[in-house]
Each structure stands twice: as C-alpha cells, then as structure tokens.
Amino acid sequence: LHLHGRGDVVKCMTCAHTLDRKLYHEKLRDWNRDWIIEESKDNVEKEDQRLRPDGDAEWNGSYEELVLPPCDRCGSHGDMESCNNLHAENGLENIKNANQQPFYKTDVVFFGDSVPRHRVYLSNAAVDATDGLLCIGTSLAVHSAFRLAKRAIGRGVPVAILNVGETRLERE
C-alpha cells in the first residue's frame, strides 16, 4: 500500500487517470522537441538548474511555448459530459468549460494535502488484519503514518521499526 502515493506515477487532475511517469516524460519530450532545443541553447547545465535529489530543478527559461500533452482518457476529445461523469465517479469538481486543459501531477500526497479517503480505509483495514507491522525507513513524523503505528499498538499488534535515528513513536 502506497499511503502517500507513488512518485513513478502521474495522475490527470481532471479525470484521475494515471500514467507511468516515464511515459509522460516521453510524451512531454515528443510534444516539445522544438521548445527543448530552443530553451537549451541559453540554459545549458547552469549550476542552479541541475536536477536535485527531490526531483526539483530551478529553471530560468520560459515556459510560454511549452505544450502539455492532453490526457489519453479525457483531454483528447473535450467531451465535458464524459469528463464530468468521470469527475463524479472520482469525487472531483466538474470542469467549467471545454477549453479547460487537463494536466498531470505526480501521484503523491504533498505537504498540506490529505491522504485520499480510500487509502485511509485500505490502510486501516490492512492494520486491522495484520499479525505485525514493519515500518521501514520512516521517522513516523507524518501524522498519517504515525496514526497507523498507534492503531496497531492499540490493537495489540507488534510493531517493528527499521530506521536510522529515533522515531516519533519512540518519543511519544
């Protein structure tokens, strides 16, 4: 269970369709070959523009000509009724007009966002059904993960932690 999502998957923010992130990057490259060539001329590997470990990069170029590929599921036809039916199924707001361009976002829960309700239910059910909980590589500082470990302990389920340094569970 990927409680906080997966960085290797992107999700359409219009219809919730998911796509492999590498495939989406290939689409971005294919749709923007001229832009990449033009922007690369003036921005060749400057120190502040290199990719950082968290996937971010500072870019001093222009995004005005960048083309975002449409979603394979909802963006290629602009059918608002179909999109809004998908929205209702996925708990999303209806789009306001046919020109609203779909965009993808990495399918992770960012700081300040909430874990999707269905993942909360699944994770609680998994903890309730388990004989033991193993927490690997986490400080349990994030409340959603901490809450699952506390739930297991409250149910008498053994919890083992493999982490460098003290965790929130050990402190509290």
Side-chain angles (χ1 to χ4, degrees):
L1 174 69
H2 298 277
L3 182 63
H4 295 108
R6 294 177 47 190
D8 64 329
V9 174
V10 293
K11 178 171 70 173
C12 175
M13 299 311 293
T14 300
C15 71
H17 174 65
T18 58
L19 184 66
D20 179 83
R21 186 174 178 170
K22 287 182 182 178
L23 180 59
Y24 182 70
H25 282 242
E26 290 172 11
K27 285 182 171 200
L28 272 173
R29 185 195 60 230
D30 292 345
W31 279 66
N32 293 284
R33 287 189 189 283
D34 293 339
W35 179 86
I36 292 168
I37 292 167
E38 188 62 34
E39 287 299 314
S40 296
K41 287 178 187 175
D42 297 327
N43 295 294
V44 179
E45 288 294 324
K46 292 180 182 174
E47 185 65 34
D48 64 340
Q49 294 178 183
R50 293 199 179 148
L51 190 62
R52 297 184 191 128
D54 66 357
D56 277 348
E58 184 70 31
W59 180 258
N60 296 320
S62 170
Y63 292 103
E64 290 179 23
E65 301 299 319
L66 181 70
V67 178
L68 298 178
C71 173
D72 294 334
R73 185 177 186 193
C74 72
S76 59
H77 49 73
D79 177 357
M80 285 186 12
E81 184 177 346
S82 296
C83 281
N84 286 332
N85 289 339
L86 291 170
H87 287 200
E89 292 170 16
N90 291 290
L92 301 169
E93 287 184 31
N94 284 347
I95 58 172
K96 306 297 186 248
N97 64 66
N99 296 324
Q100 182 176 347
Q101 185 173 359
F103 70 96
Y104 284 88
K105 180 176 121 176
T106 307
D107 192 19
V108 297
V109 177
F110 290 98
F111 183 77
D113 289 345
S114 296
V115 174
R117 189 174 305 262
H118 71 280
R119 286 190 205 150
V120 172
Y121 293 142
L122 286 172
S123 59
N124 284 337
V127 168
D128 293 348
T130 191
D131 295 329
L133 182 65
L134 176 60
C135 304
I136 302 174
T138 176
S139 65
L140 297 173
V142 177
H143 188 68
S144 50
F146 175 72
R147 184 175 34 221
L148 291 173
K150 291 285 284 185
R151 182 182 187 100
I153 290 170
R155 295 182 168 281
V157 173
V159 175
I161 300 171
L162 178 59
N163 189 56
V164 176
E166 187 179 49
T167 69
R168 179 179 179 185
L169 192 64
E170 294 164 309
R171 284 190 306 275
E172 296 183 21

